Amino acid sequence: MADLLQLLLRVGEKAANVARVCRQEAPLFQLLVQEKTGDDKNKKFVQDFKTLADVVIQEMIRHDVGTQFPDMDGFIHGEESNKFENGLGESVTVTVCSTEEETAKLLATVLDGDHTAASLLAQAIHQDLATIEASTDGLTVPLSPSELGIWIDPIDATSQYIEGREEVVEEGVLSPSGLHCALVLIGVYLRSTGEPVMGVINQPFNHKDPTGGGWRGKHYWGVSYGNINVCSVSPPNCGPKGQQGLSVVLSSSEKQVVKEALTSLCGPDKLIYASGAGYKILCVIQGLSDIYVLSEGSTFKWDSCAPHALLRALGGGVVDLSKSLQSTCEGRDHNTELIYNQPYTEHKGADRWANHGGLVAYRDLSQLRSIIGALKGKL
Ligand code: 2IP
Ligand code: CA
């Protein structure tokens, strides 16, 4: 597991590099921000470039993990399908090839022959990165790759990534929108039970290099299995809090009835709105907010798996909101925690992997109970 964690940290950093390169290199940036529709759309160009950037990152992670851990092949899932169809009805499967040149050639076919853009992307994909500094020494977890599966969100909060607003983010303060909300999320779950056991989060746009060297990223990781709970983020030292002190982070599109119930519980000024499902859970992990509540089924397994593992390592978790509202269990109800190995078979496509019941991300069980109590009978 320590080997797998090291590899995921490295591929997370490579993914962040690809995300940064797409914004830094003019030929790629132009493709990223242009939305071609109708007559403007070149029929040889597949879908949009942002989808291609997502797929390229996802396939790179799949390739690198599958090469080092062949037992995980077939259990590495992501948000995007790697099969593209262009406006001419031609189908192209985007994969990472064994050499940079071959990958560039394949990418050029979906970039309508733009060899400059294809080469820049291929270069970032095939870059060999040094080992990432992480105090994983002595970390042994009795799990083998053949017991594990992976969920990848190549770039969460894509809209913030495309819009690209550069906020000056103060350390330790939740900042609602901007490039820093875009995250690479890689979560590992146990195939048998579906519980999240390891997570790597890379924030490609954490801060700007003060010497003018462009954006610098930051990574976070956690492992939670049995008695082993290790997280790169120290548990926030919040001290005991009354209900009036609880802060809740929400999607700006959250329902009015939820906002009202939570305002009654926590008091005014305690509801904060932020972009990105992954970023909101990261805010709970870092103690920038106590709880994240989402009443809609608008997130997916790839959004929650990685940050869920970090929260578990800190003693918290992520529960299904609608199951929690029905539960009569007094203590921790393990049946309400989100799991990652079972699709909703009555749904189709990506919706099979949605967190349909909504979710609540928490660090402290008593705070979760207060929130569930406040929402009971309201939804
Ligand atoms: C999105 C993204 C959105 C989020 C949505 C996710 O993933 O994180 O920001 O909505 O749930 O599925 P909101 O910001 O309202 O919480 P992606 O950007 O990868 O599509
Ligand atoms: Ca997402």
Side-chain angles (χ1 to χ4, degrees), residues 67-106:
T67 305
Q68 191 168 330
F69 297 101
D71 283 349
M72 298 191 79
D73 245 350
F75 290 89
I76 308 170
H77 325 282
E79 175 173 12
E80 308 287 349
S81 155
N82 64 339
K83 293 199 180 44
F84 280 90
E85 193 168 309
N86 67 18
L88 300 173
E90 296 160 349
S91 173
V92 185
T93 302
V94 173
T95 54
V96 171
C97 308
S98 41
T99 66
E100 189 178 318
E101 290 69 29
E102 285 172 281
T103 301
K105 211 168 142 198
L106 176 67

Side-chain angles (χ1 to χ4, degrees), residues 54 79-80 153-160 181 183 185 250-254 274-280 292 294 297-300 302-303:
D54 267 3
E79 175 173 12
E80 308 287 349
D153 191 342
I155 302 175
D156 186 45
T158 330
S159 58
Q160 297 303 311
C181 296
L183 302 177
L185 307 171
L250 301 168
S251 164
S252 53
S253 62
E254 188 49 79
S275 290
Y279 178 68
K280 284 191 274 288
Y292 164 31
L294 176 70
S298 53
T299 65
F300 296 84
W302 48 80
D303 292 317

Side-chain angles (χ1 to χ4, degrees), residues 102-130:
E102 285 172 281
T103 301
K105 211 168 142 198
L106 176 67
L107 290 175
T109 67
V110 293
L111 285 166
D112 191 23
D114 187 337
H115 291 281
T116 314
S119 301
L120 284 166
L121 260 187
Q123 201 182 340
I125 295 166
H126 285 271
Q127 190 185 35
D128 223 354
L129 281 188

